[in-house]
Every structure is written in structure tokens, then in C-alpha cells.
């Protein structure tokens, strides 16, 4: 891996040992065909990086190797590598190849990277990390929404709540749940908070994919969200702040039950 300032290759202190399975095709991996071959390939390699098959500093197999393993063209491999570089997972240099960047350089707000995290064996840790951030951000964002929301933004929040209550499947309900929280971030009036919506959406989608929700629990959760909606509609910041904390505490309990 080259030094960022001089551009000269660095002598690695430790060479990462890559499991042989990391450079073989998974038995159940779908064959990559069509115009989006490079997207599928980027997803396969990205997942392997995030789950730790290739630790930071590891030099990846070359184009010829990936092309052979996945039976794709070398141009598809190049496009896949470019995608992963754009997400901060890889860097590349001629005559050296592509290497895995340190985790702190990864774009963790990228939807694909979040999806790979959530699909990794360490997804419980991922969900807990997201929850920590939600506890830091959402109560104050919701209080701001109660102060600043427009009528149009209020209608979007209320519609998402309505969709939660009338969903006919857990997937529909989870999607409405995510829209509800994302709409609140938008109503906060702080543009820097909006990108965090992808974190909430990814966490909710992956959490409830693996958790069975009882009817009583669904009713209780809906009531908690109704309290948030009401506090924003009445423009009561303190009430909004406390209402969202109760929702987050309930999600914490769900994660704890799931991990037992």
C-alpha cells in the first residue's frame, strides 16, 4: 500500500492472510449477467470486505483472478473496483493493485455499505451502533421538528403514521416507520440531519427482517409513534423529545430480545 504523501509503496508491517474462501465463488452466489454485472460484483466484494475477509491494508486479487472466479469480464471487474473506491473501501495504484482502506475512510452513510454491514455476522453490533447514534440525534431533531415544521411537512409525517397503522404486512409497516422518522429529520430544518435517514431506514429494515413482531407489540409501538406525531403537531418540543426517547428505548429492548 503506497504512502499517501510520497506516493511510494510502504513496507507492510504485517501481511494480512486471506482465507481461501474469500477468493472463491460462494456456492449459492447467483450468476452475474446483464448490464449491471459490475454492480453485483461490487456487492459481492464489498460484503467480503465489510465482514472482514479482507482486513484493511490487504492487497486484493487482481482483475484476472476476479474475472476467473466470477466468470465476468475484466472490464466489469474494473467498474466494480471503481464503485468500491467511490465508497471509500478501496484505493488503487498501477503496478500495485487495489487495497482495502482503513475503516475510518469508508463511507458508512452509503446505502450499499450499510447493507453489507447489516448482512454481516456482526450485524447485532451494527444495530447497536446505529441505536447509539439515534439516541444522540433523534430526540433533539424531533424537538426541532416540533418548533419548525411546516404544514406540508406535518402532513407527510401524519401520512407515514397513517400508513403504519393500515399496513397489511410487516414490510409495509417497516417502510412506513422509516418514512416517518426520515420525514421528522427533514422537518427539523437542518439539512445535515437528512442524510442520517439512510441509517435509520437500513437499521429498521434489517432489524425487523430478523424479528417476529407480536400483535400487542405492534399496537404499543404504533401508540408510541402517535405520541410523537401529536407532540410535533401541537408544536411541543419537550414532549416530542420524550416521546421519541420512548420509541428508541423500545427498539433497544427488541434488539436485546433478538440477541439472546
Amino acid at each position: 500500500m503506497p504512502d499517501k504523501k510520497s506516493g511510494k509503496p510502504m513496507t507492510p508491517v504485517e501481511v494480512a492472510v486471506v482465507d481461501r474462501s474469500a477468493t472463491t465463488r460462494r456456492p449459492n452466489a447467483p450468476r452475474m449477467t446483464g448490464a449491471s454485472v459490475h454492480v453485483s460484483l461490487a456487492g459481492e466484494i464489498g460484503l467480503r470486505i465489510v465482514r472482514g475477509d479482507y482486513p484493511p491494508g490487504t492487497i486484493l486479487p487482481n482483475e484476472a483472478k476476479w474475472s476467473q472466479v466470477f466468470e465476468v469480464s475484466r472490464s466489469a471487474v474494473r467498474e466494480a473496483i471503481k464503485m468500491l473506491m467511490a465508497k471509500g473501501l478501496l484505493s488503487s495504484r498501477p503496478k500495485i493493485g487495489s487495497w482495502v482502506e482503513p475503516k475510518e475512510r469508508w463511507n458508512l452513510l452509503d446505502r450499499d455499505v450499510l447493507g453489507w454491514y447489516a448482512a454481516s455476522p456482526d450485524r447485532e453490533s451494527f444495530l447497536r451502533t446505529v441505536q447509539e447514534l439515534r439516541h444522540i440525534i433523534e430526540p433533539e431533531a424531533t424537538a426541532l421538528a416540533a418548533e419548525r415544521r411546516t404544514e406540508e411537512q406535518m402532513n407527510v409525517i401524519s401520512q407515514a403514521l397513517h400508513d403504519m397503522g393500515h399496513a397489511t404486512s410487516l414490510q409495509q409497516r417497516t417502510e412506513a416507520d422509516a418514512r416517518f422518522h426520515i420525514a421528522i429529520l427533514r422537518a427539523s430544518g437542518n439539512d445535515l440531519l437528512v442524510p442520517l435517514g439512510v441509517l435509520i431506514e437500513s437499521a429498521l429494515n434489517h432489524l425487523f427482517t430478523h424479528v417476529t413482531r407480536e400483535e400487542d407489540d405492534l399496537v404499543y409501538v404504533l401508540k408510541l409513534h402517535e405520541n410523537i406525531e401529536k407532540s410535533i403537531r401541537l408544536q411541543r418540543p419537550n414532549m416530542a423529545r420524550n416521546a421519541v426517547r420512548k420509541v428508541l428505548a423500545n427498539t433497544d429492548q427488541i434488539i436485546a430480545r433478538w440477541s439472546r
Side-chain angles (χ1 to χ4, degrees), residues 15-217:
V15 177
V17 178
V18 180
D19 191 301
R20 184 178 181 276
S21 63
T23 54
T24 59
R25 186 186 183 89
R26 290 184 293 118
N28 61 341
R31 186 168 298 280
M32 299 177 186
T33 60
S36 60
V37 169
H38 66 284
V39 176
S40 299
L41 180 57
E44 184 69 31
I45 299 173
L47 175 59
R48 296 179 184 207
I49 292 172
V50 170
R51 75 186 181 194
D53 292 355
Y54 298 110
T58 302
I59 302 294
L60 289 185
N62 59 27
E63 288 181 8
K65 179 63 177 178
W66 286 129
S67 179
Q68 177 185 4
V69 169
F70 291 101
E71 300 177 12
V72 297
S73 68
R74 294 180 66 162
S75 62
V77 175
R78 284 193 292 273
E79 290 302 314
I81 297 301
K82 288 179 183 178
M83 283 187 62
L84 295 173
M85 290 173 63
K87 298 175 188 297
L89 272 66
L90 298 178
S91 282
S92 180
R93 190 173 294 277
K95 298 183 180 180
I96 296 174
S98 302
W99 65 88
V100 180
E101 287 279 57
K103 185 181 292 186
E104 57 266 26
R105 294 179 184 166
W106 300 356
N107 181 4
L108 297 181
L109 289 182
D110 181 271
R111 190 178 300 274
D112 291 331
V113 178
L114 285 172
W116 299 330
Y117 253 115
S120 70
D122 197 26
R123 59 175 173 262
E124 180 186 335
S125 176
F126 160 77
L127 291 170
R128 292 185 185 280
T129 300
V130 173
Q131 278 298 106
E132 288 180 357
L133 184 62
R134 293 184 68 188
H135 277 284
I136 295 169
I137 299 297
E138 286 196 70
E140 296 309 314
T142 307
L144 286 175
E147 293 177 349
R148 300 174 176 176
R149 58 84 177 164
T150 65
E151 287 302 316
E152 182 179 357
Q153 290 169 333
M154 190 68 242
N155 290 337
V156 174
I157 294 170
S158 300
Q159 183 61 52
L161 177 66
H162 175 274
D163 293 345
M164 281 183 66
H166 291 79
T168 57
S169 68
L170 186 56
Q171 180 180 353
Q172 289 181 1
R173 185 177 179 122
T174 302
E175 290 173 352
D177 193 346
R179 281 193 283 112
F180 179 85
H181 291 280
I182 292 170
I184 290 173
L185 292 180
R186 292 197 176 102
S188 72
N190 188 315
D191 291 342
L192 294 179
L193 293 176
V194 176
L196 298 179
V198 70
L199 276 171
I200 297 172
E201 182 180 21
S202 181
L204 291 176
N205 286 338
H206 287 89
L207 174 61
F208 297 134
T209 295
H210 301 282
V211 177
T212 301
R213 304 292 298 275
E214 301 294 336
E215 184 62 32
D216 289 346
D217 186 36

Side-chain angles (χ1 to χ4, degrees), residues 233-250:
R233 178 161 37 84
L234 297 177
Q235 295 188 294
R236 297 182 180 177
N238 287 333
M239 188 166 72
R241 190 181 287 112
N242 292 330
V244 79
R245 282 174 177 155
K246 291 181 180 179
V247 168
L248 293 173
N250 182 72

